[in-house]
Amino acid sequence: TPACQAYALTAIRFLAHINEDRRLLERAGALELILEMLAPPATEHVQGCAARALYSFLGDKGKYARVLRPAVMGDLVRLCAAHNKEAKQAAAAVLHRMVHDGGHSTCTALEGTPDAVRNLVDMIHELSVDGCATLAYMASNSEAVRQTVLDSDCTVSLLAMLDKNDVHSRLHAARLLRKIASMGEPGQTQVLESGGVDPLVRLTIV
């Protein structure tokens, strides 16, 4: 049942925090099972549990090649648009960790995944720190991503994140605002017309 699947995946997630347990789980086929459970027919709740379990497996960077497969990346991107909020946040957390640890190759793979930038921009409108962080890394890697972010007009949401009582939200929102402002007059105009001066100034004295 979905409930049993969710409980089992959560137990695997906790076990996978420990290197030796992670190796035992992999030999038992747990990682491939987790990757399969990121997609239907698993429920969105179960898919979210699978994403959280995958996050624990990413403590071993040797697993990245298996996760970077187009089908897996597509499942994670699709899950970023899920109705289930916890599943959505779990998928974004996995992508954030992957672009942070994996660098250019991961950003390139994610950029080539259909709907990736659009779904992450939508998460910024929901003030998601992991969605914002993932997109900030991608924008540092790609002019095309920076242009898409500029065209999406998410500056107001980024400025709202500067006022959150969370240093990570402020950090990644400021990183992405820096990229927008660096894009010449169009980017600078968008930041100014969105009321960006006061929040940015306040951030320098917090």
Side-chain angles (χ1 to χ4, degrees):
T1 66
C4 290
Q5 291 173 327
Y7 287 136
L9 286 165
T10 302
I12 289 170
R13 164 187 148 204
F14 289 125
L15 291 170
H17 284 300
I18 302 169
N19 287 337
E20 184 56 37
D21 290 347
R22 194 159 57 233
R23 287 190 284 271
L24 290 171
L25 287 164
E26 186 175 6
R27 285 198 290 272
L31 180 56
E32 288 301 321
L33 176 64
I34 288 168
L35 297 179
E36 290 176 10
M37 300 297 280
L38 289 171
T43 66
E44 283 191 350
H45 175 63
V46 170
Q47 291 172 49
C49 291
R52 284 188 286 274
L54 177 58
Y55 186 95
S56 295
F57 267 91
L58 293 179
D60 181 351
K61 294 182 183 179
K63 303 295 181 293
Y64 276 54
R66 295 164 71 177
V67 179
L68 283 173
R69 298 191 306 237
V72 176
M73 297 297 285
D75 288 335
L76 288 168
V77 166
R78 177 191 47 75
L79 201 52
C80 284
H83 295 292
N84 184 297
K85 185 176 180 179
E86 291 184 356
K88 180 186 299 191
Q89 294 296 345
V94 171
L95 292 176
H96 177 190
R97 183 167 190 172
M98 289 177 66
V99 296
H100 177 272
D101 294 345
H104 178 83
S105 60
T106 307
C107 288
T108 300
L110 185 53
E111 184 182 351
T113 304
D115 299 327
V117 177
R118 184 188 69 184
N119 288 357
L120 290 167
V121 166
D122 287 345
M123 293 194 76
I124 287 176
H125 290 303
E126 298 170 7
L127 309 186
S128 163
V129 61
D130 286 309
C132 180
T134 304
L135 204 51
Y137 279 107
M138 293 175 69
S140 296
N141 190 65
S142 167
E143 183 177 351
V145 171
R146 292 193 291 273
Q147 186 62 51
T148 302
V149 170
L150 179 64
D151 293 342
S152 71
D153 198 18
C154 62
T155 305
V156 171
S157 297
L158 290 170
L159 292 170
M161 292 183 72
L162 295 184
D163 288 330
K164 290 186 70 175
N165 188 27
D166 170 20
V167 65
H168 296 292
S169 293
R170 297 196 299 268
L171 170 67
H172 295 299
R175 286 183 64 206
L176 204 44
L177 284 165
R178 179 188 66 177
K179 291 298 179 184
I180 292 172
S182 72
M183 296 185 69
E185 184 177 350
Q188 293 159 16
T189 299
Q190 187 174 113
V191 173
L192 292 172
E193 291 184 350
S194 298
V197 172
D198 287 344
L200 288 167
V201 170
R202 283 198 304 271
L203 193 63
T204 67
I205 58 176
V206 171

